[in-house]
Amino acid sequence: MNSHRVYRQWLIWYVSGELPVNQARALRHHLDSCPVCARWFEEQLELWRMLSEWRLPEVTVASNRELEWRLELERSRGSSHAVAYGAAEWAPWRLVVAAAVTCALALVLSLPNRPGVATRSEPGTLVELERIEQVLEDLEMLQQLDLGLDEPGAGPQVSTVGTGV
Amino acid sequence: MERAAVPNRDPDTHLMLTFQQGDPSSFTQLLTKYRQPVVHFFYRMIQDPAVAEELAQEVFLRIFHARARYVPKARFTTWLFRIATNLALNYLRDTRMEQCRERTTDVDTGELPWDLPDTSPTPEERLLREARVQEVRAAIASLPPTQRAAVIMHKYHDMEYREIAMVLGCSESAVKSLLYRAYENLRTRLVHLVRPGNAAGSLRR
Ligand SMILES: [Zn+2]
């Protein structure tokens, strides 16, 4: 009968702790009399536990600094904005700090294959600076295109959203 | 589609608004709080640490750029994950995940640099756990992108159906159905790893 599917759907919410108490009671009652769903439940519970085993480490300080550096660059480029990251007013010393951070970051990233560090980019090189400049220009272009990112719910739609469900 | 949430009571929305009004420390707070969840979201979606870092930076740069036009209509995290999800889905659509799928389905390729060091007590347990995590990763990578995003938000970011629905731009019941299919796909794919009896009786406790 179709009700098995309903109970199985409930089982997922039960395992994640989201099933209301009265439905949980009905579910337990069903499992007592349905070995097929009981077995399914055991597998679902084990699946939930297995998924929990996939844990990730903390994000490294180096990658945080890369973003801060990019934002710093952005701030210094976009000083025409009234509100800017880091300070409301132009402060040349920040460029010096940004340069120092960049050098430190380049040094850190040049260490061979440390786990947890994204090694694809090498901030501090001319190529990378040009690349970041390009990205920021692209971002400005994107902003001018007005993709609606400033409006929650109005982000750029992708074909899978809304139609793939 | 978008429900009127209670953004004014959301402390993160408040931070975004104070950032908009000129307080840079509010943005720093948001960055500190959400950088890691966003990087982890991308890592689980795309399973490439460098791309995850890159896309996470992109999210915060976009938020930075959008500050002047920010209008709170939902919780800040909904907006944040909506940007992140769109970036991830666009990335996956563009790259079609071919290389990643190859890598994650091959159990012998060893740990990606982003897996946690294993603390299992014995070498046998360590190997078993590693194999399970590899299979979990491969199973998640094999899901269609929207199912994958829904599972990651639900399982690893503790997001409710309503918020996932707002992120994905669909109804709550569609999200429930999507998640049911996703977990069913994962169960089918990972059922051989299930140890019978392990979970028995837990429901009745
Ligand atoms: Zn049944």
Side-chain angles (χ1 to χ4, degrees):
Chain A
M1 219 179 101
N2 235 357
S3 66
H4 292 293
R5 187 190 151 104
V6 172
Y7 285 119
R8 287 174 192 188
Q9 213 159 7
W10 285 8
L11 277 172
I12 291 172
W13 323 138
Y14 187 93
V15 171
S16 61
E18 294 160 284
L19 194 70
V21 176
N22 56 337
Q23 287 179 354
R25 206 172 292 134
L27 175 64
R28 281 193 288 265
H29 185 71
H30 178 75
L31 289 181
D32 281 338
S33 60
C34 180
V36 181
C37 282
R39 162 97 188 162
W40 196 92
F41 168 72
E42 282 184 30
E43 290 174 359
Q44 197 59 44
L45 203 63
E46 185 64 5
L47 169 68
W48 194 255
R49 195 194 58 72
M50 268 194 292
L51 293 177
S52 301
E53 283 190 325
W54 189 18
R55 299 185 305 268
L56 298 176
E58 288 185 10
V59 172
T60 61
V61 174
S63 61
N64 281 334
R65 283 188 186 143
E66 184 180 346
L67 175 58
E68 283 165 18
W69 178 78
R70 286 177 73 176
L71 287 165
E72 193 59 51
L73 187 68
E74 176 64 6
R75 190 203 62 78
S76 62
R77 282 167 51 95
S79 56
S80 59
H81 289 290
V83 184
Y85 175 73
E89 290 173 13
W90 168 246
W93 64 270
R94 288 180 175 276
L95 272 183
V96 178
V97 173
V101 168
T102 307
C103 292
L105 195 56
L107 194 68
V108 167
L109 289 177
S110 66
L111 296 174
N113 281 339
R114 290 185 308 108
V117 175
T119 53
R120 207 175 68 164
S121 57
E122 299 168 348
T125 65
L126 272 177
V127 172
E128 179 66 8
L129 276 171
E130 279 171 13
R131 197 178 66 79
I132 290 170
E133 290 273 325
Q134 184 60 53
V135 167
L136 293 170
E137 276 170 22
D138 291 346
L139 277 172
E140 279 181 6
M141 279 177 62
L142 277 172
Q143 200 179 18
Q144 284 162 14
L145 286 173
D146 193 12
L147 294 172
L149 280 171
D150 54 326
E151 293 174 25
Q157 295 296 307
V158 287
S159 57
T160 41
V161 169
T163 56
V165 292
Chain B
M1 180 75 256
E2 201 77 25
R3 268 167 250 261
V6 279
N8 289 339
R9 288 190 211 149
D10 174 22
D12 299 326
T13 301
H14 178 73
L15 282 174
M16 191 60 207
L17 288 171
T18 52
F19 171 52
Q20 187 179 51
Q21 287 154 17
D23 175 15
S25 71
S26 299
F27 185 74
T28 307
Q29 284 181 62
L30 289 170
L31 193 60
T32 306
K33 186 173 177 183
Y34 289 110
R35 175 146 173 70
Q36 178 154 305
V38 169
V39 173
H40 284 181
F41 171 78
F42 281 123
Y43 181 70
R44 287 195 169 97
M45 279 296 288
I46 291 153
Q47 304 198 10
D48 180 322
V51 174
E53 293 283 354
E54 200 71 27
L55 291 180
Q57 292 192 12
E58 187 66 27
V59 169
F60 288 102
L61 283 169
R62 288 190 185 205
I63 287 174
F64 180 90
H65 269 284
R67 68 197 178 279
R69 291 176 296 155
Y70 175 69
V71 180
K73 287 180 185 169
R75 290 175 61 188
F76 174 77
T77 47
T78 308
W79 184 49
L80 179 78
F81 274 92
R82 184 156 187 148
I83 297 171
T85 302
N86 282 338
L87 283 171
L89 294 178
N90 283 333
Y91 178 86
L92 291 170
R93 187 197 56 201
D94 292 346
T95 61
R96 294 187 181 274
M97 276 295 276
E98 291 309 328
Q99 290 172 332
C100 186
R101 217 171 265 176
E102 257 171 49
R103 190 170 54 238
T104 51
T105 48
D106 182 359
V107 176
D108 296 329
T109 52
E111 275 189 324
L112 286 177
W114 249 51
D115 285 325
L116 268 186
D118 201 315
T119 53
S120 304
T122 67
E124 290 79 15
E125 285 177 41
R126 205 172 303 143
L127 281 174
L128 279 172
R129 186 198 162 272
E130 268 175 30
R132 277 200 307 274
V133 171
Q134 287 277 11
E135 294 222 32
V136 163
R137 266 197 346 224
I140 288 179
S142 74
L143 292 174
T146 317
Q147 284 187 21
R148 198 184 317 165
V151 163
I152 291 168
M153 284 187 274
H154 182 249
K155 171 62 190 163
Y156 297 105
H157 295 272
D158 291 327
M159 288 167 69
E160 296 170 352
Y161 320 127
R162 198 168 76 102
E163 193 169 13
I164 297 171
M166 288 169 84
V167 168
L168 294 177
C170 59
S171 69
E172 237 176 284
S173 60
V175 165
K176 285 185 179 181
S177 171
L178 185 73
L179 280 170
Y180 176 76
R181 290 204 306 276
Y183 284 120
E184 186 60 7
N185 284 339
L186 290 173
R187 191 189 62 84
T188 306
R189 195 175 161 124
L190 296 169
V191 73
H192 63 286
L193 293 174
V194 171
R195 287 166 291 183
N198 233 19
S202 309
L203 180 60
R204 292 164 186 84
R205 274 200 286 273

